[in-house]
Amino acid sequence: MTPVASDPYRDWLRQRLSAELGVREADLAVQGAVQRRGWTAVRALGPRDVIAVLQDVYSQMRENFGDARADKWLEGTTLDLAKFAESVPVPAQPTAPGPIAPAPSPIKWGRRAHDLPLLLARSHAEIASRSLGAIRTNPDLLSLERAAEWDVQATQAEVRRWETEEMLSKLRADHARIEVADQVAAAVAQGDLLRLTVKELEEASRSGQVVSPQLAHSRLMVTQTQAFLEAFTPLIDLEDAETPLTMLELDLGNARYSLGVPLHPNVLRARHALNYAQWQAGEAGEASPQVMQAHHNLHLAQAEAQAQLDGTLNAARTHQATLRQLATQVETLERRALQLTQVGGDPLSLARVRLEWRQVRTAARVQAHRLEEAVRLLEALVSEN
């Protein structure tokens, strides 16, 4: 039976920190991190908790030893942690007997689609935890304990997956509201420019210039823009369009994101299946066809998780680079508008600059939102929160 005090990730963390800081400083670093986050003293640490402590130590090392040494240490330590997480399940304690939670009322029409998978995932996690408790108290099943620990970790990861989906759903809704407000604000700026353009073309027409096609097109655009504003202005708060841009400056090459693979729900599920197959195989061991197939399935799950992680990271990097370029354009247009205002520039030129500023700012906002969503997803994969 696994001792209650089993805490392999805390032991691993102390060993790594002791090599860099000394035994006493390592213990103080762990204790300080536990106290700051309000963790109970007896709580067994997992890889996400270890990442949080490493970030604390990294900040101290930057001050004491400089960025280069701190960066190299954090990268190497995090990669080693990812390897450790591939072979050691997070310690888990069984839950007390009783009704499976949650016990929802009868399903009603209108329940949000992602509520049910989250309820199901939580039930599976509790069942897995209870199974682990039963296995630990039955000598005949004790050899199945390691597989049961992977099962608990896999079901808990599935809960995190759906909790993350709910968080992202709310975040995307907030972002969509602001992005629509940006579109409406850009339409307001476009309407101002079009009215000034129509006025200028009317004056040109009265002076004998042939501008009938341009004038007709501009009037049509005024009508279409006004129709758009009448439809959408009541639906939004234009103040949302004045929300400052979110400029996330972070290192998307951080090695801690590598934990996204061993902690991926599908990888954990495949690792549980491998351990279960090894238990079933008995003396046949690794030569068993079931074990070989389980190894293959684990490899496929790891490859898929790595591809998903790489895809999210690459998308985030693209959004980050594009956002920086657009933000620079926004600042340039802001300066140009200010200069035109100060020198008494003509209203038509100022309206053009303001419309371009709105359009570029709207594009920048979209990139900022997509970057934030990608980063929040990455953080959910590896953070302790």
Side-chain angles (χ1 to χ4, degrees):
M1 182 180 301
T2 300
V4 174
S6 176
D7 201 344
Y9 281 89
R10 189 188 296 263
D11 295 339
W12 181 93
L13 178 62
R14 280 174 172 159
Q15 181 181 6
R16 292 306 298 258
L17 295 183
S18 296
E20 191 68 31
L21 307 175
V23 175
R24 182 175 180 278
E25 290 298 323
D27 285 338
L28 290 176
V30 176
Q31 292 171 11
V34 169
Q35 291 171 357
R36 278 191 298 275
R37 289 169 174 80
W39 297 338
T40 58
V42 297
R43 165 181 169 175
L45 301 186
R48 295 183 179 92
D49 306 317
V50 172
I51 280 289
V53 180
L54 294 181
Q55 292 293 321
D56 291 349
V57 175
Y58 169 70
S59 299
Q60 297 174 5
M61 290 185 65
R62 289 182 64 187
E63 296 178 3
N64 298 335
F65 306 115
D67 291 355
R69 178 176 171 182
D71 289 345
K72 183 177 180 181
W73 173 82
L74 181 63
E75 180 175 0
T77 303
T78 305
L79 292 175
D80 288 346
L81 173 62
K83 294 178 181 177
F84 186 71
E86 293 178 356
S87 58
V88 180
V90 176
Q93 295 302 319
T95 56
I100 297 296
S105 57
I107 298 171
K108 298 178 181 179
W109 290 107
R111 182 184 289 279
R112 293 179 303 174
H114 67 264
D115 282 352
L116 296 179
L118 179 56
L119 292 173
L120 184 63
R122 287 172 174 164
S123 294
H124 284 166
E126 185 157 348
I127 291 170
S129 180
R130 294 182 184 190
S131 296
L132 174 61
I135 288 169
R136 284 177 173 170
T137 58
N138 188 333
D140 294 333
L141 295 176
L142 204 55
S143 59
L144 190 56
E145 180 183 19
R146 187 174 181 82
E149 288 179 331
W150 283 116
D151 189 27
V152 170
Q153 189 168 346
T155 55
Q156 290 175 345
E158 193 66 25
V159 171
R160 288 178 62 88
R161 184 212 296 268
W162 287 105
E163 288 176 342
T164 299
E165 195 60 41
E166 184 173 23
M167 175 272 293
L168 289 174
S169 177
K170 294 177 180 178
L171 183 63
R172 289 169 186 142
D174 290 339
H175 287 170
R177 186 187 71 252
I178 296 175
E179 288 171 20
V180 172
D182 280 337
Q183 292 283 347
V184 174
V188 171
Q190 179 176 330
D192 293 340
L193 174 60
L194 287 170
R195 281 186 288 273
L196 290 170
T197 301
V198 167
K199 183 178 179 181
E200 183 180 73
L201 290 171
E202 287 174 342
E203 292 175 355
S205 179
R206 285 192 293 270
S207 67
Q209 297 182 43
V210 182
V211 293
S212 298
Q214 297 95 319
L215 180 57
H217 181 260
S218 295
R219 284 172 174 166
L220 174 62
M221 291 295 294
V222 168
T223 302
Q224 301 286 23
T225 301
Q226 188 59 37
F228 173 81
L229 291 174
E230 288 174 357
F232 278 90
T233 301
L235 303 179
I236 58 94
D237 183 354
L238 265 178
E239 289 298 318
D240 287 337
E242 307 308 321
T243 305
L245 285 176
T246 303
M247 297 296 295
L248 293 176
E249 292 296 335
L250 69 163
D251 178 15
L252 290 171
N254 196 313
R256 71 195 185 101
Y257 293 126
S258 61
L259 269 177
V261 174
L263 299 184
H264 192 284
N266 294 348
V267 173
L268 291 169
R269 175 60 58 207
R271 197 170 293 284
H272 159 64
L274 171 61
N275 277 260
Y276 187 71
Q278 290 170 333
W279 176 77
Q280 285 186 311
E283 295 181 359
E286 298 298 311
S288 165
Q290 292 88 345
V291 172
M292 290 190 288
Q293 182 62 46
H295 274 294
H296 177 67
N297 293 341
L298 174 58
H299 175 75
L300 293 179
Q302 290 172 323
E304 182 180 356
Q306 186 67 59
Q308 292 178 2
L309 177 64
D310 291 343
T312 303
L313 277 168
N314 290 334
R317 292 179 184 122
T318 299
H319 293 314
Q320 187 178 58
T322 305
L323 174 59
R324 287 170 178 166
Q325 295 174 356
L326 291 172
T328 300
Q329 294 180 37
V330 169
E331 293 175 356
T332 300
L333 290 167
E334 288 173 346
R335 289 194 297 268
R336 191 184 305 170
L338 180 60
Q339 291 170 355
L340 282 172
T341 303
Q342 291 173 339
V343 300
D346 67 280
L348 187 60
S349 297
L350 184 57
R352 286 196 183 98
V353 173
R354 284 175 175 166
L355 173 58
E356 187 179 358
W357 175 78
R358 279 289 179 192
Q359 291 172 332
V360 175
R361 193 170 186 269
T362 297
R365 176 97 69 194
V366 171
Q367 295 299 320
H369 283 170
R370 299 298 88 78
L371 172 60
E372 183 180 1
E373 291 161 14
V375 168
R376 292 286 291 275
L377 174 58
L378 290 168
E379 290 295 326
L381 292 174
V382 301
S383 71
E384 84 277 16
N385 295 323

